[in-house]
Every structure is written in structure tokens, then in C-alpha cells.
Amino acid sequence: MAASSEYGLKTIVWKRIKDTIITDCRKSEVWKILILDPFTTKLLSTCCKMSDLMSEKITIVEDLYKSREPVPEMKAIYFMTPTAKSVDAFIDDFKIKPKYKGAYVYFTDYCPDELFNNMKLYCGKHIRICKEINIWFMPQEAQVFTCDNPGAFQSIYSPHSQDKKKTLETLADQLVSLCATLDEYPGVRYKKDNSMENAKILAELVDNKLAKHYELDDSTKKKGKTQAQLLIVERGFDPVSPILHELTYQAMAYDLIDIQNDIYRYKSKDGSEKQAFLNEDDMLWVRLRHKHIAEVLEQIPKMVKEISASKKKPDGKITINNLAQMMKKMPAFRKQMTEVDDFSNAIYMFLWVKVKDPMRTLLPVLLNPYGIYDKIRAVLLYIFSLNGTTDENLSKLIQHVKIEDEREFILNWKELGPINFSRKPTRRDRSQGETYNLSRWTPVIKDVMEDAVENKLDTRDWPHQSENPAAWNGSGAVSARQKHKTSSQDERRTGSRLIVFVIGGITHSEMRCAYEVTHAVKSCEVIIGSSHILTPNSLLDDIKALSKHPMEFFTIDERSNA
């Protein structure tokens, strides 16, 4: 398990767990067993380490769904999701012959009455404590969360979906869980789209559930709005950011190499298997992840010299050598760097420059020996830059890429709504002060974040689902009214929060924007989240699968979170 970060969502979640589960444990001097389901296993792994649990007299961590030996002299802590599968597994532990001396039960969210009554019926006398602690989301980074549900993309956007309503209800519950963990009661807004209503529906669900959750607080007084705002937007709002070759380190690494569950595996010089954890436990990774790849390549040799001179080793798990190996082990990394650079230069022509004949710019990309996915991405960016294309032109493009039998990669984008990307004059001018401004794409969501913080979002495009908290009323209320703090995250707790939720997945470049806007504003912390984190290729696979019937893509729900 990972150690908790010094600030941010992971620390908040770990504190919430300590204040509930761990505090209850301290009342007993007896060593205990902790039993987790897959979600809570992953949750704890993001915010604490085994030594943290050991120090609280938790000596064994077990899997709820696996066969376990009885330990009748020990008490067991059950931390689980309120699902029929988890509750049935719990009941099986006590129904016939108790496996443990007693049970301390903690649910991540509200437990339905039917499940609770079953527990009470079969195991009531063995349950010492039963609580719902309201943590039904995954803290991925200090300012990034997910609902740990990649399958939500299919459920929401597939024309064959049979559980869209249920999925939106679940996402709403998880967003309420996030707000409750942060102790926020935000005003809710959504991006209006005449062709898609998912953002509007989700905003209504979240607002109603928040009102119900905060109807009465512990002092029996209705909780008022806090200094927070929640924005909900659909993935189709910005189709470019998820498929562009991003040139910042984190985004590029997850795009070009195989990283599973934030672990990069590689072979060392002696042939042994090594792994590097790409998370916030390592300050070196945090320091480099949002920098342009050219800057990273420039800084690594300097860092090697600094460390050699000081004869000190970095504290984190990712060493300079790990990073150097990571660079080298990217498949033909140097060659790819050149190819990506050439590829990106052509693509940025579509996005930034008014090209007289865009097809002439695109054809060299399609004729080069790039992979199929790269060519599909180029075609899509070409189409987005023109706000669509003719059927005849599209057929020619599909032939060039040689995906006649897999044209769903391109045609299924219609399920995310009409293509709505253009070189709008409303995009912020970022040409000044950016060293790599011609090769660094700024996701549209960053403009939205900045406009929201400065109270410049047009209410016609971003309607209010509910009243705004006082801190967000009036021009410049957040940036001017709040005193500017230092860069300490903890000190921002007294400022405002902007929570952005993207239906259908977020990219690493959009995650970066949350940190950049927070750093620039200082009086407002920006948190971004979605059902899952996506990579360009994983999104293309999801897009292609949209035309399949449920039985054809049943394995998607089982895919690990990116």
C-alpha cells in the first residue's frame, strides 16, 4: 500500500477513515483483522500503507470474497461497499458458525434497507458497530478523483445501453459522497447542450441528493451552501484533448508506454524485472509530471549531476535512473519522439493555423508508417478542426487509414453529440509566457476553470441548477474577495473550491489544468474528476465498442481503471 501524500484528497480520505474506523478500533486493545472488498482495497492502497494499519493494531488484511480460515479469538473490521455481493459474503462469515469474535462493519455509502435487514437477521448479535462513512470515490491524486467505473462510458453513451439511468444515479451518489467528504455543499452548474442531456440530468440528480443529504446536520440545523461550485460537462465538449499527442511528461508517458495501475515495469541492465510507482509518494515524479517533455529531458542530466555531487539518494521510489530507464524503454523512444514531434507539428497546423488545404497537411501523416491508432487520431483531429466533413471525404479518409471494416472508430463519435470544436475567438490567448506554446495544447476545460474562478461563465451556456454560494456571486468574487494564500494546500482550506466533473473520462492533460489554475489563483482550489482516467487508445477502444450490443462488450466493466 502507498503512503499518504502530505496534502490533498488522499490525505482527506485517510483522515476520514482514521476518524471513524481507526478511532473505533482504538477503543479496544485487541489486535484485529481488516477485511476488504476490491473497491475498498484499492481505496486504502491510495491513501495509506501497511505500517499505518499495523500501528493501529490491524495485523492482517484479507479479501472479503476469498476463502479465509476462521480466527474465532480475533475481532474483524469489515470495510466494504453496500452491495448484495459484499453483504452476502459478510453473512456467510457468521450465518452458520462465526469466523470471528465480533464484527465492526463500515460501508462506503448508504446501505439499502433490504441488505441491512438481512445482516441484522442473520448476524445481528455478532455486529458490534455498523456505520456508513460516505467515501464512495477514488482519490487518484491530490486534486484528482474518479468513480472507479470505466464501464460508465458504455452505459451512458452506447445506444444499446440498458442501465444508463442507473449509472447516472450511481455517479450522482458518488459525487455527493465526494462533497460530503470535503464538507462542501456546492452550487451546481452544467454545460448546456441542446443535443445531449446527460450533464443536465446528472446536475439535477446531484443537486437533489445534496439537498437531501444536507437537510439536517448534526446540530439539527439545515446546512447552507459552502464556498464551492460544482461544474458538470460531457466528454464531447472537448473531443480534441483526449486524442491529441500531448507533450507534457505524465500525459506522454501514459500515452506511449504500457503503464498499469500507475506502475511502470521494465528490465534493468542485469535483466531483472523492476517497477516504478508513478504516484505522489515521490516528489521527483510530482516535480516533473506536468513539464514539457523537452524540459524533462533537459533537467534529468542536471539532476543526475546534482545528486552525484551531493552523494545523496532521492527519498522517493522513482530514482533518476528509473526515469532515465523509463525514457529509454519507451518503444524506440528517441525514434518515437521524432515521429511524435513531426506528427504533432502537422496536427497543430489544423488546430492553430488557418490552413488553405488541410487535406494536403493530413495526407503525409496518413502515408507515413505510423500505427493505425495514430492515423485514426490524425483523421479525427482533422475532422474536428473542420467541424465535420462530407461523407465522400470521410470514405476516402477511412480508405487511406485502411479501417474499412473498423470504421466505428470514427463513425461512433456521433454518440457523444455533434462535433462542436472550432478555432473560437473565445479561447484564451496563451501565446505569451509559454516557452513551448506552439507544441503544447491547452484543454478547453482550463478556459472553463479560469472563467468559473473569475465569474465569467455565461449563464446561458452554464445554467445554475441551484443557487450559488455567496463566494461565487458578483464579478471577481473569488479572486478579489478571498485573501491570497501561500502555496500551502492546507491553507487553501479557508478559500473556495471549484469541483469539475467530466462525464465520460478525463485526460492527464485536463488533470494538469486543475493544478495550474490552483497555483495561479491561490485563493481557490480546483478539483477535477470523472468516472475514470482515460488514455487516447483506451478512448478509441471505447468509442469503437459503442455500436456493440451489451453481450459483446461485457468485459469492459471488468477492465482495470486507467
Side-chain angles (χ1 to χ4, degrees), residues 369-512:
Y370 297 122
I372 291 295
Y373 278 77
D374 282 337
K375 291 184 179 182
I376 292 170
R377 289 161 70 175
V379 168
L380 286 167
L381 291 169
Y382 164 80
I383 294 170
F384 296 154
S385 71
L386 298 177
N387 272 340
T389 187
T390 64
D391 290 340
E392 180 184 359
N393 200 19
L394 182 58
S395 294
K396 290 180 180 178
L397 290 170
I398 289 173
Q399 287 174 10
H400 274 298
V401 185
K402 297 180 181 178
I403 57 166
E404 290 90 342
D405 297 331
E406 296 180 306
R407 56 182 63 211
E408 295 92 347
F409 277 120
I410 294 174
L411 300 182
N412 284 354
W413 278 85
K414 67 180 184 295
E415 304 299 345
L416 274 64
I419 294 168
N420 189 30
F421 177 81
S422 63
R423 295 177 294 270
K424 295 181 181 179
T426 51
R427 289 301 311 266
R428 293 198 175 214
D429 179 11
R430 303 182 189 275
S431 59
Q432 303 299 319
E434 288 279 359
T435 307
Y436 304 101
N437 66 293
L438 292 179
S439 62
R440 175 165 166 163
W441 169 254
T442 301
V444 179
I445 204 69
K446 185 173 183 180
D447 290 356
V448 172
M449 292 171 179
E450 291 172 335
D451 286 345
V453 168
E454 296 171 12
N455 280 294
K456 291 180 180 178
L457 286 182
D458 193 326
T459 54
R460 292 169 297 183
D461 296 327
W462 293 86
H464 295 273
Q465 182 60 41
S466 61
E467 63 177 296
N468 252 0
W472 297 84
N473 288 334
S475 177
V478 174
S479 56
R481 177 175 169 171
Q482 301 297 327
K483 292 182 180 179
H484 279 229
K485 303 288 182 181
T486 67
S487 59
S488 168
Q489 290 281 346
D490 290 331
E491 290 182 341
R492 287 198 191 106
R493 294 295 82 79
T494 58
S496 302
R497 271 198 182 102
L498 174 66
I499 304 168
V500 179
F501 187 80
V502 182
I503 299 174
I506 50 172
T507 69
H508 290 92
S509 57
E510 289 167 331
M511 290 159 55
R512 184 190 75 237

Side-chain angles (χ1 to χ4, degrees), residues 198-376:
N198 297 314
K200 183 177 187 297
I201 293 169
L202 184 57
E204 289 174 352
L205 288 169
V206 171
D207 196 52
N208 290 335
K209 289 174 184 288
L210 277 169
K212 184 178 179 181
H213 179 81
Y214 284 126
E215 187 174 352
L216 291 175
D217 64 11
D218 293 338
S219 61
T220 70
K221 293 180 181 178
K222 187 174 180 180
K223 184 180 179 71
K225 297 282 185 178
T226 57
Q227 295 180 29
Q229 190 168 186
L230 169 62
L231 304 181
I232 299 175
V233 61
E234 301 223 28
R235 181 63 273 167
F237 167 70
D238 176 9
V240 171
S241 295
I243 57 174
L244 190 70
H245 270 300
E246 239 275 5
L247 297 180
T248 48
Y249 186 38
Q250 183 185 38
M252 194 173 189
Y254 279 80
D255 184 1
L256 295 181
I257 55 179
D258 184 26
I259 298 171
Q260 299 294 331
N261 298 317
D262 298 327
I263 299 174
Y264 167 61
R265 292 180 170 84
Y266 63 96
K267 286 188 177 181
S268 63
K269 292 180 180 179
D270 62 7
S272 61
E273 293 284 340
K274 298 285 186 179
Q275 61 183 26
F277 295 87
L278 309 184
N279 58 39
E280 290 173 324
D281 296 334
D282 193 284
M283 289 299 101
L284 185 56
W285 169 252
V286 173
R287 177 178 168 185
L288 295 174
R289 64 183 173 181
H290 297 149
K291 294 184 182 296
H292 191 283
I293 193 67
E295 192 174 353
V296 173
L297 291 171
E298 186 180 284
Q299 284 195 15
I300 285 180
K302 294 179 182 178
M303 291 179 177
V304 171
K305 288 182 180 179
E306 288 175 8
I307 291 173
S308 298
S310 64
K311 295 183 179 179
K312 289 181 180 179
K313 293 182 179 179
D315 294 329
K317 297 176 184 177
I318 303 176
T319 64
I320 290 293
N321 286 336
N322 290 154
L323 289 173
Q325 285 293 322
M326 189 172 171
M327 295 292 192
K328 293 174 184 176
K329 294 291 181 179
M330 289 184 186
F333 180 75
R334 294 292 176 179
K335 182 173 180 289
Q336 270 193 290
M337 276 291 294
T338 304
E339 289 180 356
V340 168
D341 200 36
D342 294 340
F343 181 94
S344 299
N345 286 339
I347 298 306
Y348 283 113
M349 292 289 285
F350 301 150
L351 303 176
W352 294 121
V353 185
K354 291 184 178 180
V355 181
K356 194 171 184 179
D357 185 359
M359 180 60 79
R360 176 172 280 184
T361 304
L362 176 64
L363 278 177
V365 175
L366 301 184
L367 295 174
N368 266 328
Y370 297 122
I372 291 295
Y373 278 77
D374 282 337
K375 291 184 179 182
I376 292 170

